Amino acid sequence: MPPQAAATLASALLATTEHAIIPLTAKQVAQGSKLFGAAILERASLRTVLAETNNERESPLLHGEINCIQQFFKLPRDTRPETKECIFFATHEPCSLCLSGITWSGFNEFYYMFTYEDSRDLFAIPYDIDILKSVYQVASPGESEATLAAKPLYNRRNKFFTARSLAELIDEVDNEATKTKLKGELHRIKQMYHGLSATYQEGKQSGAESSSIFK
């Protein structure tokens, strides 16, 4: 991606996170849902078509990404852009369920802000890594545990989609002043999630209602 285009896209994703996703997430975490959100942007204009967040109070399948996809396909067909004309964004690297949902829906490019390790280490939500490792990570005959552990949990560039972190996108920006500004914005917006996480963890400890068995 050209450096100027990377800066424009990164700025759009950050703005969408702060102004479209976080307000929705704040309401849901206060009611017991996790802090994972998502948005769909039109590739040509970078306008936000739709933003959504996790709604596990209603169903354990309504992760932020799946909820976003469900609502996207409820939009009128004559005004809804084709998935190939869109960019998908997840605040947190998508779990196995959401990776499948993104793929089956036809989105061929997505970005995420927090990694699996962030979800586990910063937000005490380890299930994405646990499920991917336990269900999908199969050792070859004679393969050592160390070699298996070093393998990626999924193929981020494949025939169906390309997945990249927002930090990786920002690193492509060649103008140092712009890159520094975007990194500062990324850090600022990430910090907002610590407050959301505290609300979620407090609710979990107090027995907030949720349909998910993974809390």
Side-chain angles (χ1 to χ4, degrees):
M1 179 179 292
Q4 187 173 3
T8 302
L9 176 56
S11 181
L13 294 176
L14 289 167
T16 295
T17 303
E18 181 172 12
H19 301 297
I21 299 174
I22 287 179
L24 297 172
T25 301
K27 291 179 181 178
Q28 286 295 338
V29 295
Q31 299 178 47
S33 291
K34 293 187 181 71
L35 68 166
F36 303 147
I40 296 166
L41 285 73
E42 192 173 51
R43 181 179 278 112
S45 65
L46 295 183
R47 73 176 180 91
T48 302
V49 178
L50 185 75
E52 263 302 345
T53 193
N54 182 292
N55 188 12
E56 287 180 336
R57 279 176 55 84
E58 182 176 325
S59 166
L61 299 182
L62 287 181
H63 294 194
E65 298 93 325
I66 298 300
N67 198 16
C68 191
I69 291 168
Q70 292 273 64
Q71 297 306 318
F72 176 78
F73 281 99
K74 290 180 181 179
L75 296 174
R77 190 161 189 165
D78 59 345
T79 60
R80 187 181 70 226
E82 295 294 325
T83 54
K84 293 290 191 293
E85 298 171 357
C86 295
I87 291 171
F88 197 93
F89 176 69
T91 57
H92 297 68
E93 194 167 8
C95 70
S96 53
L97 168 67
C98 297
L99 286 173
S100 295
I102 290 167
T103 305
W104 280 103
S105 300
F107 295 100
N108 60 13
E109 179 182 8
F110 75 82
Y111 296 84
Y112 54 89
M113 185 163 58
F114 293 103
T115 65
Y116 291 137
E117 291 76 15
D118 291 332
S119 294
R120 179 192 63 197
D121 301 337
L122 299 179
F123 304 116
I125 303 175
Y127 312 114
D128 298 344
I129 288 180
D130 286 351
I131 291 172
L132 281 165
K133 285 185 174 181
S134 297
V135 178
Y136 298 101
Q137 197 174 59
V138 180
S140 301
E143 186 173 25
S144 69
E145 289 187 11
T147 302
L148 179 63
K151 286 183 175 179
L153 293 174
Y154 69 101
N155 185 6
R156 290 175 174 82
R157 288 173 174 79
N158 57 68
K159 65 185 286 186
F160 299 108
F161 61 72
T162 298
R164 304 176 68 200
S165 71
L166 187 46
E168 182 182 352
L169 177 66
I170 291 173
D171 280 339
E172 286 190 1
V173 177
D174 58 358
N175 183 286
E176 288 303 320
T178 302
K179 182 187 294 187
T180 298
K181 180 180 178 181
L182 288 169
K183 285 185 174 182
E185 282 295 284
L186 177 60
H187 176 75
R188 181 180 66 82
I189 291 171
K190 279 186 170 183
Q191 290 299 112
M192 298 172 74
Y193 277 84
H194 292 294
L196 295 172
S197 179
T199 300
Y200 170 70
Q201 295 297 335
E202 288 168 6
K204 184 169 70 173
Q205 294 301 320
S206 63
E209 183 180 344
S210 173
S211 63
S212 177
I213 64 170
F214 298 105
K215 300 177 182 177

